[in-house]
Amino acid sequence: MNWHRSGDFIPLMLMMGGPEKYRLITSLGDVAEALIAAWPIDDGEDYVVAVKACLDAIHGNASPQDARAALISAAREAGIPVITVAH
């Protein structure tokens, strides 16, 4: 799977603090970057699940939708508002 391709991923927007207040997530690569480089906490249970789901999806062992759902749960846990798009 090309994890930087957005065709397999339903976009969402994270409303984070700092210079990048709004972070558009359009691919598994964006999920990985947000979780590793920009996440405000790294010890939450849902955060750990999201990192694993993202890695599993990158390696083809889970769907991009699984990683997206895990990211949304981790965002709730961290108090990060999410704007989702329904298709």
Side-chain angles (χ1 to χ4, degrees), residues 36-72:
I36 301 304
W39 214 252
I41 61 171
D42 63 359
D43 61 350
E45 184 175 322
D46 289 336
Y47 170 80
V48 173
V49 169
V51 170
K52 182 178 181 332
C54 181
L55 288 171
D56 286 347
I58 287 169
H59 291 288
N61 298 322
S63 73
Q65 293 78 18
D66 292 338
R68 183 180 186 274
L71 178 67
I72 291 169

Side-chain angles (χ1 to χ4, degrees), residues 2-82:
N2 180 347
W3 54 294
H4 290 289
R5 193 177 80 219
S6 61
D8 298 328
F9 195 90
I10 300 168
L12 58 88
M13 179 80 67
L14 299 175
M15 298 176 66
M16 304 179 85
E20 260 191 76
K21 184 174 182 180
Y22 301 102
R23 184 176 281 262
L24 180 62
I25 307 294
T26 63
S27 68
L28 290 172
D30 291 341
V31 173
E33 183 179 334
L35 289 170
I36 301 304
W39 214 252
I41 61 171
D42 63 359
D43 61 350
E45 184 175 322
D46 289 336
Y47 170 80
V48 173
V49 169
V51 170
K52 182 178 181 332
C54 181
L55 288 171
D56 286 347
I58 287 169
H59 291 288
N61 298 322
S63 73
Q65 293 78 18
D66 292 338
R68 183 180 186 274
L71 178 67
I72 291 169
S73 293
R76 281 192 200 115
E77 175 182 69
I80 298 170
V82 178

